[in-house]
């Protein structure tokens, strides 16, 4: 049965806004187009008014990833909610990867472990107010989630209301990038109603703060969103969003080409040429496709066999062949879109000498939501077999693969991962993906040298110094051969010529916003 929200006539009446100190309303309304312009396609930002072209037209969007966790805000589904304009955090990321205002209009650091965030006047989609108590409660729920959101990997966080319009956030250890961390889609602020489920499930339907309200969810096939008229950033120009979850990339491209949808994310490289040039948008992203080798069990527990696998892989062949030039050969965990990384990259040290595979049997897995991955995995399979491995390839839809991958049931996984999606902090992905306690450690890596290098990076406050420490940690991780960077992707988004204001985000956190319209 689909999840349905009650009709508006049966919902609580909107409460009057409070009058705590804030910028004048005009300034608040003007902030949204400023933020949207960070990633906009140059066709306009949000409008604070109700008129304008397309103000009553719904958007039709095809997304690549069906919900894997019942639209929980704490895992991979969090980006579905943020990309559809349902949820927001205290902060956002600007085009340069710096923290920008969202539900918090400003903040200041009181000491090494404490930050004070000043909230803007805003409402939740269920009609209740965004209060310091509500924000503190939402962040507290996130700290108690299991598994922990990737943005909180290794972080102890306490949030408490302060007065009528501020929240004080304290961390167990110094956290110089806390404003970046709080921009994570997995730390979105939801109303108290979201956390009332008896089964512990967090329900984002009608409890977010974004320009669009989730009203119906039809399992893993589609979702319906209506415009949230009380959005703090101004009334959205589209009346709603009809989202379809289409795992097959060819089907997404066909839906755009035949006019069934207005926006199709992650168009396959092989389908790009079938679209009119005016409907193709290519965006350099911080996404890296990598081969993750299970270093905790099986054949790749042996560093010498991991070294053999790494030596067998020809990344340039993947960039030229599978990705048809729409990607760069793997250089490291961070790719060219992380503009500062290349000049700071260090040579991996301590690599084991490659052994002869001798017919070692391995299971290689990937998913088909990103259509290039199965083809890339087939090329990797051939390269590994040529080197002397015996390979079984498993391809599934991502939601059916993740649990087994996290449990270490495969010897290798070909994964596309946005290295800055969780927090915008380059160190966060290292902590979540490659440390002993990492919550998304598909490589099952537990190396004390790596943990020390990541911890040093986490404790470095200076921006340039943190980047240097992150690159030292990257070198330590690559030295274990638990991860083999394959390519750094550019994402192709299909956008109908009638659509304006799509948010082409290098961090892949947003797609439609208040200014998106047709």
């Amino acid at each position: 049965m689909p999840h349905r929200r009650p009709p508006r006539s049966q919902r609580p009446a909107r409460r009057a806004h409070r009058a705590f100190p804030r910028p004048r309303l005009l300034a608040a309304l003007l902030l949204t187009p400023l933020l949207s312009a960070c990633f906009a396609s140059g066709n306009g930002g949000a409008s604070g008014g109700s008129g304008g072209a397309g103000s009553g037209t719904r958007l039709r969007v095809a997304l690549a990833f069906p919900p894997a966790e019942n639209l929980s805000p704490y895992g991979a589904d969090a980006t579905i909610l943020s990309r559809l304009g349902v949820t927001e955090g205290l902060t956002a990321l600007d085009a340069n990867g710096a923290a920008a205002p969202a539900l918090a209009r400003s903040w200041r650091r009181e000491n090494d472990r404490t930050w004070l965030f000043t909230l803007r006047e805003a409402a939740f989609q269920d009609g209740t107010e965004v209060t310091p108590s509500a924000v503190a409660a939402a962040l507290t729920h996130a700290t108690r989630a299991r598994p922990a959101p990737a943005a909180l990997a290794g972080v102890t966080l306490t949030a408490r209301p302060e007065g009528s319009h501020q929240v004080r956030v304290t961390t167990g250890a110094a956290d110089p990038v806390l404003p970046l961390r709080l921009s994570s889609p997995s730390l979105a602020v939801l109303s108290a109603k979201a956390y009332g489920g008896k089964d512990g499930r967090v329900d984002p339907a009608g409890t977010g703060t974004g320009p669009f309200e989730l009203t119906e969810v039809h399992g893993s096939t589609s979702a319906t969103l209506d415009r949230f008229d009380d959005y703090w950033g101004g009334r959205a120009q589209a009346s709603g969003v009809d989202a379809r979850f289409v795992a097959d990339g060819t089907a997404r491209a066909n839906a755009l080409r035949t006019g069934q949808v207005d926006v199709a994310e992650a168009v396959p490289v092989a389908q790009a040429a079938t679209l009119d040039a005016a409907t193709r948008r290519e965006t350099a992203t911080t996404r890296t496709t990598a081969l993750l080798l299970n270093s905790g069990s099986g054949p790749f527990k042996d560093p010498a066999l991991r070294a053999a696998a790494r030596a067998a892989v020809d990344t340039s062949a993947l960039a030229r062949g599978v990705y048809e030039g729409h990607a760069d050969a793997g250089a490291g965990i961070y790719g060219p879109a992380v503009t500062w990384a290349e000049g700071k990259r260090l040579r991996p040290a301590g690599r084991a000498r490659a052994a002869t595979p001798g017919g070692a049997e391995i299971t290689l897995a990937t998913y088909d939501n990103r259509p290039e991955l199965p083809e890339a995995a087939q090329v990797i399979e051939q390269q590994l077999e040529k080197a002397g491995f015996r390979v079984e390839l498993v391809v599934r839809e991502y939601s059916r693969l993740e649990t087994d991958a996290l449990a270490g049931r495969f010897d290798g996984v070909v994964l596309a991962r946005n290295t800055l999606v969780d927090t915008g902090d380059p160190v966060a992905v290292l902590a979540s993906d490659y440390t002993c306690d990492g919550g998304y450690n598909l490589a099952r890596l537990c190396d004390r040298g790596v943990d020390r290098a990541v911890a040093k990076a986490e404790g470095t406050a200076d921006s340039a110094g943190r980047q240097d420490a992150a690159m030292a940690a990257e070198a330590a991780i690559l030295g274990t051969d638990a991860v083999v960077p394959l390519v750094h992707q550019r994402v192709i988004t299909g956008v109908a010529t009638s659509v304006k204001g799509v948010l082409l985000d290098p961090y892949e956190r947003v797609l439609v916003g208040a200014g998106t319209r047709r």
Side-chain angles (χ1 to χ4, degrees), residues 222-441:
S222 65
T224 302
L225 301 90
D226 291 336
R227 176 168 51 205
F228 175 43
D229 289 337
D230 289 346
Y231 179 52
W232 63 265
R235 191 168 181 253
Q237 294 191 17
S239 61
V241 179
D242 297 314
R244 294 166 53 186
F245 303 113
V246 185
D248 183 83
T250 300
R252 288 196 302 277
N254 287 340
L256 180 77
R257 190 171 54 250
T258 57
Q260 298 176 55
V261 299
D262 306 307
V263 181
E265 72 169 359
V267 172
V269 167
Q271 293 295 315
T274 70
L275 299 181
D276 187 278
T279 67
R280 296 196 306 266
R281 311 285 178 82
E282 184 170 313
T283 309
T285 72
T286 54
R287 180 170 297 278
T288 294
T289 297
L291 170 62
L292 301 169
L293 301 177
N294 184 347
S295 60
S297 62
F300 289 130
K301 188 173 182 179
D302 181 354
L305 284 182
R306 296 201 300 270
R310 183 253 308 160
V313 173
D314 179 0
T315 60
S316 61
L318 291 169
R320 291 192 312 268
V322 175
Y323 290 88
E324 299 180 16
H326 295 283
D328 300 292
I333 294 171
Y334 311 107
V338 185
T339 55
W340 51 263
E342 188 57 38
K344 295 175 178 283
R345 203 177 307 278
L346 302 174
R347 186 179 183 86
R351 279 176 162 163
R353 185 187 297 272
T356 302
E361 297 183 1
I362 60 172
T363 301
L364 180 65
T366 195
Y367 48 99
D368 54 11
N369 305 76
R370 297 191 179 276
E372 294 82 15
L373 293 186
E375 186 178 353
Q378 289 175 354
V379 173
I380 298 300
E381 176 187 21
Q382 294 166 5
Q383 292 177 346
L384 292 175
E385 288 183 337
K386 184 177 179 180
F389 291 96
R390 297 176 61 188
V391 183
E392 177 187 357
L393 179 60
V394 174
V395 179
R396 299 178 189 166
E397 194 272 324
Y398 181 81
S399 63
R400 298 177 52 244
L401 184 82
E402 183 183 63
T403 299
D404 285 343
L406 285 168
R409 297 193 177 101
F410 306 116
D411 300 306
V413 178
V414 176
L415 176 83
R417 176 82 156 123
N418 193 316
T419 56
L420 298 183
V421 71
D422 292 325
T423 66
D425 172 34
V427 181
V429 72
L430 306 183
S432 66
D433 291 19
Y434 303 110
T435 63
C436 295
D437 295 327
Y440 197 66
N441 190 347

Side-chain angles (χ1 to χ4, degrees), residues 186-242:
S186 64
L187 298 182
V189 175
L190 303 176
S191 71
K193 186 177 180 180
Y195 310 103
K198 294 181 180 180
D199 58 357
R201 178 176 173 266
V202 180
D203 187 0
T207 59
T209 61
F212 296 105
E213 176 183 357
L214 186 64
T215 57
E216 294 184 19
V217 179
H218 298 268
S220 60
T221 60
S222 65
T224 302
L225 301 90
D226 291 336
R227 176 168 51 205
F228 175 43
D229 289 337
D230 289 346
Y231 179 52
W232 63 265
R235 191 168 181 253
Q237 294 191 17
S239 61
V241 179
D242 297 314

Side-chain angles (χ1 to χ4, degrees), residues 40-304:
S41 60
N43 295 318
S47 169
S50 60
S55 62
T57 305
R58 298 181 66 83
L59 295 166
R60 301 165 301 167
V61 178
L63 299 180
F65 288 86
E69 301 158 334
N70 294 316
L71 287 177
S72 166
Y74 299 138
D77 290 355
T79 54
I80 295 177
L81 298 170
S82 66
R83 286 174 72 75
L84 289 175
V86 175
T87 57
E88 301 171 302
L90 285 181
T91 61
L93 287 185
D94 69 14
N96 296 316
L103 291 177
R105 59 182 173 88
S106 64
W107 53 89
R108 61 182 173 88
R109 192 175 189 181
E110 296 185 315
N111 56 53
D112 284 351
R113 300 192 300 112
T114 306
W115 298 71
L116 188 65
F117 292 83
T118 299
L119 305 180
R120 69 173 70 256
E121 187 175 3
F124 290 109
Q125 293 158 353
D126 61 6
T128 59
E129 297 175 6
V130 176
T131 64
S133 294
V135 171
L139 293 177
T140 299
H141 277 286
T143 66
R144 295 172 179 170
R146 293 294 178 270
L152 294 180
V155 175
T156 301
L157 180 151
T158 302
R160 291 188 173 87
E162 182 67 26
S164 61
H165 61 282
Q166 292 181 314
V167 176
R168 179 169 281 110
V169 180
T170 303
T171 53
D175 188 4
V177 296
L178 183 66
L180 280 178
R181 190 179 304 283
L182 293 178
S183 74
S184 170
S186 64
L187 298 182
V189 175
L190 303 176
S191 71
K193 186 177 180 180
Y195 310 103
K198 294 181 180 180
D199 58 357
R201 178 176 173 266
V202 180
D203 187 0
T207 59
T209 61
F212 296 105
E213 176 183 357
L214 186 64
T215 57
E216 294 184 19
V217 179
H218 298 268
S220 60
T221 60
S222 65
T224 302
L225 301 90
D226 291 336
R227 176 168 51 205
F228 175 43
D229 289 337
D230 289 346
Y231 179 52
W232 63 265
R235 191 168 181 253
Q237 294 191 17
S239 61
V241 179
D242 297 314
R244 294 166 53 186
F245 303 113
V246 185
D248 183 83
T250 300
R252 288 196 302 277
N254 287 340
L256 180 77
R257 190 171 54 250
T258 57
Q260 298 176 55
V261 299
D262 306 307
V263 181
E265 72 169 359
V267 172
V269 167
Q271 293 295 315
T274 70
L275 299 181
D276 187 278
T279 67
R280 296 196 306 266
R281 311 285 178 82
E282 184 170 313
T283 309
T285 72
T286 54
R287 180 170 297 278
T288 294
T289 297
L291 170 62
L292 301 169
L293 301 177
N294 184 347
S295 60
S297 62
F300 289 130
K301 188 173 182 179
D302 181 354

Side-chain angles (χ1 to χ4, degrees), residues 457-516:
E458 288 179 315
T460 304
D462 172 70
S463 179
R466 193 175 184 87
Q467 292 171 358
D468 291 338
M471 298 312 294
E474 181 200 62
I477 293 166
L478 295 178
T480 69
D481 285 325
V483 53
V484 182
L486 302 176
V487 295
H488 306 294
Q489 291 180 248
R490 302 174 209 143
V491 170
I492 302 170
T493 306
V495 181
T497 55
S498 60
V499 175
K500 310 295 182 184
V502 170
L503 307 179
L504 301 178
D505 178 6
Y507 311 108
E508 300 181 270
R509 293 179 170 196
V510 293
L511 181 64
V512 297
T516 313

